[in-house]
Amino acid sequence: MKITFEIECGLVYNQGPSVEVCINDQQVTDQTLTQKNLLEYTVDNSQDTVVKIIHKNKTDRDTVVMDNQIVADKWLKVNNLWVDDILLNNILCTTDCADGNVDRLKSDSLYLNGHLVYQFPKDFFNWYYEFIKNLDLQYIKNHTDSEAEQKYLGYNQESSALPEIHQILESRGYSITS
Amino acid sequence: MDTVLLVNLPRQDAERAPAVIAGLAGICKSIDADYEVADLNLQTIRAATSEEWREFQDWLSYFSTECSDKILQGFKDLVVQHLPKQHFSIIAVSLFTYETIRSAHLVLPLLRQAYPNSKIVVGGHGTDFSDKDNNNRPFYQVVLENKLIDAYILGEAEASFKEYILNYNTWVNTSHKHQISNLDTMPFACYDKILPQQYLHTGVISTYITGSRGCVRDCSFCDVKFIWDKFRYRSAEHIFEEILQHHLNYGTMHIEFTDNLINGSLSEFKKLNQLLVSAHKKYPSLKELTYLGDFICRPAKQFTEEDYRLMSLAGGKDIIVGIETFSEPVRYHMGKKFSNEDIDFHLYASGKYGIKNTFLMQVGYPTETIDDHQINLKYLKKYQKYGLSKVIKLIRWGFTTGILPGSPLDVKFRHTLPLVSSENETEVYGESQWTTPSNPTLNYSERARRRIELHYATKELQYNQPRVHDEFLSILATLKGRTPPKLDEH
């Protein structure tokens, strides 16, 4: 399975942040990023994968302040994430900054030293389907609009007419592979 | 100055303010004619309980032959209550589809009574529709004879509405179907008196836009070419200006295009996306605007990856695509000239740029062999990741292929394939009970069998499907030799 991150960075004197990427605790990248970056990795979809994007070595000198205004800063932001070329919402990450703050509300940016954590459960797209389904069920529970109706119908594919259709077709010599 | 009352009738959706009424309001505004709006559809939906609305709309949609006196009287009382108490020179009643005919029969006498000195004019698709309760005669003839209307406008009534307002005393009814030759000459829709936020929107303010009429294709199963002879489209600049106006005036954040194909005119569609993206700098809130529309899958050389990227940036993140079948020979016979490689590319590009697709499919097209059916099953597996990730957010197999009156299947292929009506055919919607000697095993039972098989495969692979119960009720009724309920094909 291919995972691609599109990362945008803030530069100071034309230099981006220092970043390490670890997959399941194994370092796979250690580099200084530029303004626009595409980082691509192939992982084994038969097991869980955790990708850590670590922003490191940021010092006071990496934030340039003039007249009480930040005029240049090293930061990074994951603008897009693709799994097998499919763009996914930013739902997979949590942020853990070096100062001990843990933002479980999900962020895609690091302005301080710290790391973004992306978790890809095994058999990823089946997991993703269930994840979205749960979000949709919550939406259906709390809304009565046409979107809720569409979502409801999308998941509720039973029909009381089916047994009778089976019966009629079978009586006419047709068999259905289900 | 002459004043106009614009009347909107049930049954219609009320997710968004009615586009036709907004269009007519725009025409009134363009000639400084005072107007008011009576949206009886919205008022009815608001006043009725869900059970009452269901019973009423089933009757309006001809699903049922009767509706309780209580509901009918309640509707008439509501109409009287909501008609403005002032004089109007013109009462313009929009008959959006055949589903407004029965309500028009209830409303027109009340309008005549409330405004005895006004001219009543009707227009819209329902105007010349067969009135099933009156020996299938065209609706306008029935109500004209009963002196419930003074005038009617066939075809695109907006084309002649301005002329009618200016000359209503000397207007001569004609069977000519009016058509707008240049859509760019139409004034923008005006929602001043039907504010979009009053409607049953889904969290965002949403309005309709019509970018084109007719279709660039002539698909064999479709009757659009029969209804709209000529494809006409607005310039990208004209559409963009209207979108911007609705966005700035009404806070519109979502557009639903009524076009048969939003990318019918490829050059204008690409230009529209460029205009929307270019406007982000000046109007940052446009970045959040999204649009929904029917889209035709095209070869990659015609609609490139960069075009998909731009479409997504412009807000085109939700499209409805008539793929119809994964069998190339069947699709080519339909007149849809895109390959399976083009579908591969379409899904790749949709996935890459976050565009969700609703696939409209068909089962049992007259040339569909059992091998073609197997190809459909095979491609469901192939594209499963797009279903799981919601790049294909819905896949609709619908009913089995029917022969729509006026479609090429009806007019051309009925004789060449040929298509033969089954012996037990009665009045079956869409003439679904055909057979053809050129594909003799594909009778209705076999089509139903394939439909059910695809249902199970689609469900097992965890694609979302809409409205299967309605479709299966219809198939069951047809298998039993009964007239199935009339439902929208797509």
Side-chain angles (χ1 to χ4, degrees), chain A residues 82 157-158 164 166 172, chain B residues 352 456 459 465 479-480:
Chain A
W82 291 271
Q157 303 177 20
E158 299 302 327
E164 211 176 338
H166 267 265
R172 293 178 188 178
Chain B
K352 186 157 182 192
Y456 286 129
K459 192 176 162 195
Q465 303 180 75
L479 283 171
K480 286 175 156 182

Side-chain angles (χ1 to χ4, degrees), chain B residues 50-110:
Chain B
S50 53
E51 289 78 20
E52 287 169 340
W53 176 239
R54 181 174 291 275
E55 183 180 337
F56 191 44
Q57 69 172 338
D58 280 355
W59 178 71
L60 295 176
S61 305
Y62 297 91
F63 286 5
S64 59
T65 51
E66 285 179 10
C67 186
S68 69
D69 288 342
K70 185 186 159 213
I71 287 174
L72 296 179
Q73 190 55 49
F75 174 65
K76 288 193 260 188
D77 292 345
L78 175 138
V79 171
V80 171
Q81 186 194 336
H82 282 92
L83 290 178
K85 308 285 184 285
Q86 66 181 81
H87 170 72
F88 295 96
S89 312
I90 298 164
I91 313 290
V93 182
S94 167
L95 299 165
F96 187 56
T97 64
Y98 70 92
E99 292 175 309
T100 55
I101 288 180
R102 279 181 164 166
S103 58
H105 276 299
L106 298 174
V107 171
L108 288 171
L110 300 172

Side-chain angles (χ1 to χ4, degrees), chain B residues 421-475:
Chain B
S421 297
S422 301
E423 277 177 19
N424 62 345
E425 183 183 348
T426 52
E427 189 200 351
V428 176
Y429 171 60
E431 294 190 38
S432 54
Q433 287 197 15
W434 48 267
T435 56
T436 174
S438 58
N439 192 2
T441 55
L442 188 68
N443 55 22
Y444 188 76
S445 297
E446 172 60 10
R447 293 196 287 279
R449 187 194 72 78
R450 292 181 192 178
R451 173 66 185 86
I452 303 302
E453 211 160 80
L454 281 162
H455 167 72
Y456 286 129
T458 307
K459 192 176 162 195
E460 190 179 332
L461 293 165
Q462 303 191 91
Y463 289 91
N464 284 18
Q465 303 180 75
R467 300 170 56 185
V468 290
H469 182 55
D470 288 353
E471 289 156 10
F472 292 156
L473 283 178
S474 173
I475 287 169

Side-chain angles (χ1 to χ4, degrees), chain B residues 74 81 100 195 229 235 253 276 333 362 375 419 433 459:
Chain B
Q81 186 194 336
T100 55
L195 291 173
D229 182 35
S235 65
M253 291 306 294
L276 284 164
H333 192 278
Q362 289 195 45
I375 289 172
L419 295 166
Q433 287 197 15
K459 192 176 162 195

